[in-house]
Amino acid sequence: MPELAEVEYFRKQWDSGIGKKVTRVHSHADKRPFRGIDVSLLEQIAGKKLVESRSAGKQMLFRFSGGLWLGLHLGMTGKLGVEAADYPPAKHDHLVLFQSGRALVFNDMRQFGRVLLHKGKEAPEWWTSISPGPLSPEFNLEHVSQFLARHPKLPLKSTLLLQKGFPGVGNWMADEILWRAKLNPHRKAGAIKPREISALLAETRYVCEVAMTTIGNKFEDAPEGWLFHQRWNRKGKCPKHKSPLQFDTIGGRTTAWCEKCQK
DNA sequence: CGAGATGTTCGGCT
DNA sequence: AAGCCGAACATCTC
């Protein structure tokens, strides 16, 4: 599920815990989401106050008092939720922060998500080094052109999935963007003409913007007429031509496109 | 039972 | 060296 707007939606799920102290921490510290980190910092969250949250691309950052920072990535199946203070953690609840009035829950069935921890006055390097997102002013024609030029042989679809260039864009958003920009997902990134790059930039911004106000706000469906609704089964049709969509695996990911629209 | 699922990361090859 | 590709990760559902 979690791409740009879904991440933003989940980040806000923990808002009710802001300004409140964490009393107890439950975690599966030996599981995959905690790989490669100093899990001793986990217990330090107890006693600290959740101060604020931010999201960038598919990454979330939660700041606690005492210079403690928690990063969460939702992977493929991660989600955040809020439960009652006496909530008994379920099988895939890998991190639960108990407060006096509620429990903040990170659940991730497939465990492709990731927990990061940091202690310090400033935000950690893994946060500050995230590339500018599609809705920021730095995400401009020069930025996109240079990124495409750096991956000349890569299919466009795969290029859009690289978080270094398109933070927050995931599998369904990439298909939606390419459909709107009328670009075939198999095209090599290095062969896209300036005019086409402009379209790619504009549609990337548009899809992100609209997704944020619908999915990002209330988890509403994407607007009617989006490819989104058609790409989940092999009988999907182009919203414009009503002709059958094409399906292929590009860069290991299922890709849907319309051969009439996308050249 | 095998295939596939909205994501990264690593190893190997060019 | 940088870029590209495919496999691997863990679990559930169709």
Side-chain angles (χ1 to χ4, degrees):
Chain A
M1 232 186 239
E3 301 182 23
L4 185 75
E6 289 102 346
V7 169
E8 178 64 1
Y9 173 82
F10 283 124
R11 178 188 67 79
K12 290 188 275 197
Q13 296 309 294
W14 281 14
D15 276 0
S16 60
I18 290 179
K20 315 283 197 322
K21 200 164 78 174
V22 174
T23 54
R24 184 164 63 90
V25 178
H26 162 93
S27 68
H28 299 157
D30 57 335
K31 295 289 201 179
R32 190 159 206 275
F34 299 86
R35 60 198 178 281
I37 65 163
D38 174 11
V39 290
S40 74
L41 283 176
L42 276 173
E43 48 205 64
Q44 292 196 33
I45 301 175
K48 304 290 196 302
K49 191 165 76 174
L50 175 57
V51 178
E52 64 161 333
S53 66
R54 310 176 202 168
S55 63
K58 295 175 187 170
Q59 184 69 42
M60 289 176 285
L61 182 68
F62 296 87
R63 181 164 69 90
F64 293 84
S65 55
L68 203 53
W69 308 76
L70 167 70
L72 289 178
H73 190 292
L74 297 172
M76 201 83 108
T77 53
K79 43 186 175 287
L80 299 191
V82 181
E83 300 288 346
D86 61 353
Y87 175 73
K91 186 176 178 187
H92 300 302
D93 292 339
H94 302 300
L95 183 66
V96 183
L97 307 180
F98 290 96
Q99 298 180 322
S100 68
R102 69 201 66 70
L104 309 174
V105 181
F106 166 56
N107 177 286
D108 182 12
M109 182 176 76
R110 287 177 70 187
Q111 301 179 194
F112 290 174
R114 174 162 235 162
V115 177
L116 294 170
L117 292 162
H118 170 74
K119 195 158 192 189
K121 197 154 175 65
E122 305 292 330
E125 193 274 338
W126 47 257
W127 174 261
T128 53
S129 66
I130 296 173
S131 303
L135 298 178
S136 75
E138 297 102 302
F139 191 88
N140 53 29
L141 200 55
E142 194 190 4
H143 173 89
V144 176
S145 303
Q146 285 184 0
F147 188 72
L148 295 190
R150 223 174 296 143
H151 300 276
K153 298 281 175 51
L154 200 61
L156 260 187
K157 170 60 183 279
S158 304
T159 314
L160 286 248
L161 291 179
L162 294 174
Q163 298 303 293
K164 200 112 211 311
F166 297 83
V169 172
N171 205 30
W172 76 256
M173 287 185 98
D175 283 0
E176 193 77 48
I177 291 164
L178 291 174
W179 176 68
R180 297 189 60 95
K182 304 189 192 304
L183 292 166
N184 188 299
H186 290 285
R187 293 270 302 278
K188 303 293 184 199
I192 309 304
K193 298 196 267 293
R195 163 162 292 173
E196 296 173 318
I197 299 179
S198 296
L200 180 64
L201 169 67
E203 300 303 345
T204 300
R205 282 209 186 116
Y206 179 79
V207 169
C208 288
E209 221 171 83
V210 176
M212 281 299 212
T213 59
T214 53
I215 300 163
N217 250 347
K218 298 190 164 170
F219 226 83
E220 287 167 7
D221 271 355
E224 219 175 305
W226 276 30
L227 187 69
F228 179 91
H229 302 286
Q230 298 295 323
R231 63 180 299 289
W232 304 117
N233 72 73
R234 305 291 150 126
K235 292 183 177 155
K237 294 178 172 46
C238 170
K240 193 180 283 178
H241 299 102
K242 313 296 177 200
S243 54
L245 292 174
Q246 309 297 304
F247 289 90
D248 199 358
T249 300
I250 304 178
R253 316 302 306 283
T254 296
T255 301
W257 77 97
C258 169
E259 55 185 351
K260 270 176 133 175
C261 294
Q262 299 172 251
K263 300 298 181 187

